[in-house]
Amino acid sequence: MKRIKNIIAGLLAIILATASAGCGRAIVIQGTPADNNSYTFYNGNEITGVPVDTQLSPQTDKKDETSSYASMEQSVVSSVQTSGTTIASGEVTDSFATQPQTVPPQTTVTLPPVETVSETTTTVTTPAPQTTTVITTVKPAPVPDDTDLPVNNYQALNHEETKGVWISYFELYPILTGKSKSSFAEGIGRYYDNALSLGLNTVYVHVRPYGDAIYKSDYYPWSKYCTGYIGEDPGFDPLEVMIEEAHKRNISFHAWVNPLRCSQENDAPQIDDSYLVKKWYNNNDGDYISKVSSYWYLNPAYDAVTDLIALGVAEIVSKYDVDGVHIDDYFYPTKESWFDSKSFSASGYSDLSQFRLDNCTKMVYKMYNAVKSHNSTALFGVSAQGNVHNNLYELYADVEKWSREAGYVDYMAPQIYYGFDNSGQPYAEVVDQWDEMLKGTGKKLIPGLAVYKIGTEDTWAGSGKYEWINEKQIIKRQIEKARTADNYSGIILYSYQFIFSPDSSVESAVNAEIEAIKPLLS
């Protein structure tokens, strides 16, 4: 009956898509470009149980290098063939940016100055970040503590040089949604075997893309990417399968979570009332949880929110043999003051930017400690934007502090998605900037590299906009440059689909680049 229900729902979604109809419980392929430069919006079809083979029609709303907000995620650009099934194609984005463009696309952006850090900074002791006390009119639901979660004695598997790849929930969808345990094991095993064929040894896989879980959680509902429906048990634990298949192959598995992005607009009402995120949605709209465009985001100003985020991390590390936990660049989704005006007013801060920086720092501090207190051998890292200025002044992510001071990360994996000729953020200079921030700390630098740009125009790169079309072996040269960094510990490629299922228009260029890097990764 469930399969019949899903098929019927899928057919209805295809019919309704032509009228742009919405369905709160349906999977909607949405995401953001894997870039720090621009937005590209698409009108997407809803998918509820059966894949849809439909080319999406683009709209654009582009932003300059200094004011964009981006993440590593990008939806399927090419039709991905999985077990003979073609899923919908097209690059799509979350639509939460509203800041006006203030700098022309061709403007050169000077890298912010980098403070020199002494070699003696390895012994820096970091106090807990300032706690924000907020007076509320609605008593928040209490957050359980993690004292009942046991320490995991698993010895984490992490390679001396990380040769990694990101696998997003968009890439899990075709092999996971509505599939059996054995089918999913076969599908993820195929992904891993492909990764091994290139010499890769580490995967960063989405396990919590929103305020949900692609695993059995006591604190977050089942992700709709498991069955097509929020809160529906798929009948097996996908995270257990992914870890088991990875470790069979000596692949290090890192759980990738998005801590603040909570849900798509129409999904929030479908979450069961027993979960804290739903209680906050029901009782504290615009406060603990706020809607930006068509997405709900958690507000990190509240200790209850950051405690829940840390508890979710503790649960993963305690119950599963993950080798690390990993977050990307989903921090504050807007610069608008209304997002957290109530908590800011009650905070005692006079500077909104510092207030937000400290809130994100508090969150990262708690996540790091949640990992270390439940498995000291597991790693915690942040994949922030490559543009340090954007992190500090657009997203309120204090990457300089996290890099230089103890108690926040084991490594930084900045998304250095720029070519060597990028006018505002030239690759080599950005690598040096991040390396300098990590100098003397003992922390590692693992740059993220943009396979998805191969063969395409880099719109916001100024004079380097055609570099990815005209130049060859860019990724190879980027790996070679990264290896000269004092704190180098590997690279991560964005992302699986762009390596192994590139669009036909760039397939030959991608394949040539991949062949060029194989000797470096073997």
Side-chain angles (χ1 to χ4, degrees), residues 34 72-74 166 256 417 449-452 492-495 498:
M72 295 180 293
E73 294 182 355
Q74 184 166 335
W166 279 294
W256 170 11
Y417 293 163
L449 306 180
V451 174
Y452 76 94
I492 313 174
L493 303 177
Y494 188 91
S495 70
F498 298 102

Side-chain angles (χ1 to χ4, degrees), residues 139-145 276 279-280 304:
K139 184 178 180 180
V143 180
D145 61 41
L276 274 172
K279 294 179 189 296
W280 294 336

Side-chain angles (χ1 to χ4, degrees), residues 42 65 101 107 129 212 229 234 262 268 329 350 393 406 409 451 453 456 466:
Y42 285 77
E65 186 83 42
Q101 179 171 314
T107 299
D212 58 0
Y229 298 93
C262 194
D329 63 336
S350 59
Y393 301 106
V409 299
V451 174
K453 282 191 174 180
T456 67
Y466 298 116

Side-chain angles (χ1 to χ4, degrees), residues 103-349:
V103 181
Q106 304 299 322
T107 299
T108 298
V109 180
T110 303
L111 292 172
V114 178
E115 178 184 349
T116 302
V117 181
S118 169
E119 294 288 345
T120 62
T121 56
T122 51
T123 58
V124 171
T125 300
T126 304
Q130 178 177 344
T131 297
T132 303
T133 301
V134 179
I135 301 172
T136 63
T137 56
V138 179
K139 184 178 180 180
V143 180
D145 61 41
D146 61 8
T147 55
D148 292 333
L149 293 173
V151 171
N152 189 342
N153 293 318
Y154 164 70
Q155 183 68 35
L157 167 67
N158 284 295
H159 301 277
E160 183 175 354
E161 181 182 14
T162 296
K163 302 169 185 177
V165 61
W166 279 294
I167 302 176
S168 76
Y169 68 101
F170 289 119
E171 292 155 331
L172 288 180
Y173 160 74
I175 61 171
L176 173 60
T177 309
K179 300 298 193 297
S180 67
K181 179 179 180 179
S182 60
S183 175
F184 178 58
E186 178 183 357
I188 197 66
R190 183 170 59 253
Y191 281 17
Y192 293 163
D193 288 340
N194 286 337
L196 285 175
S197 73
L198 183 54
L200 303 176
N201 60 22
T202 304
V203 293
Y204 298 83
V205 186
H206 249 146
V207 302
R208 195 196 310 151
Y210 293 89
D212 58 0
I214 303 180
Y215 56 94
K216 186 173 179 57
S217 174
D218 292 330
Y219 313 113
Y220 294 93
W222 280 107
S223 172
K224 66 181 179 182
Y225 295 97
C226 293
T227 66
Y229 298 93
I230 296 172
E232 184 172 79
D233 190 331
F236 66 95
D237 192 325
L239 182 51
E240 285 185 350
V241 172
M242 291 191 287
I243 294 171
E244 180 181 0
E245 294 299 322
H247 289 167
K248 280 181 184 178
R249 296 164 170 81
N250 199 39
I251 291 176
S252 178
F253 183 95
H254 290 240
W256 170 11
V257 304
N258 290 109
L260 295 178
R261 186 175 64 178
C262 194
S263 68
Q264 295 173 12
E265 181 177 27
N266 292 331
D267 290 340
Q270 309 302 329
I271 299 172
D272 190 272
D273 288 343
S274 62
Y275 292 102
L276 274 172
V277 291
K278 183 60 177 299
K279 294 179 189 296
W280 294 336
Y281 170 84
N282 288 337
N283 300 320
N284 295 287
D285 285 1
D287 189 17
Y288 280 69
I289 181 172
S290 297
K291 188 161 73 72
V292 180
S293 187
S294 58
Y295 287 80
W296 289 97
Y297 284 83
L298 294 174
N299 180 357
Y302 292 95
D303 285 333
V305 170
T306 52
D307 285 347
L308 176 64
I309 291 167
L311 180 61
V313 169
E315 179 183 43
I316 292 171
V317 176
S318 175
K319 294 183 178 180
Y320 297 94
D321 292 345
V322 297
D323 303 299
V325 173
H326 178 87
I327 65 174
D328 61 20
D329 63 336
Y330 272 97
F331 297 106
Y332 275 87
T334 180
K335 293 180 69 177
E336 296 292 332
S337 61
W338 59 259
F339 177 80
D340 51 0
S341 59
K342 181 178 179 180
S343 54
F344 176 61
S345 296
S347 69
Y349 279 79

Side-chain angles (χ1 to χ4, degrees), residues 451-487:
V451 174
Y452 76 94
K453 282 191 174 180
I454 295 170
T456 67
E457 179 182 334
D458 195 358
T459 307
W460 303 104
S463 60
K465 66 187 299 184
Y466 298 116
E467 178 180 4
W468 295 87
I469 297 174
N470 297 330
E471 299 297 326
K472 308 302 179 187
Q473 299 188 357
I474 295 177
I475 300 296
K476 176 177 183 263
R477 289 186 283 122
Q478 288 185 333
I479 294 173
E480 290 171 339
K481 166 57 185 175
R483 284 178 169 174
T484 68
D486 291 338
N487 302 284

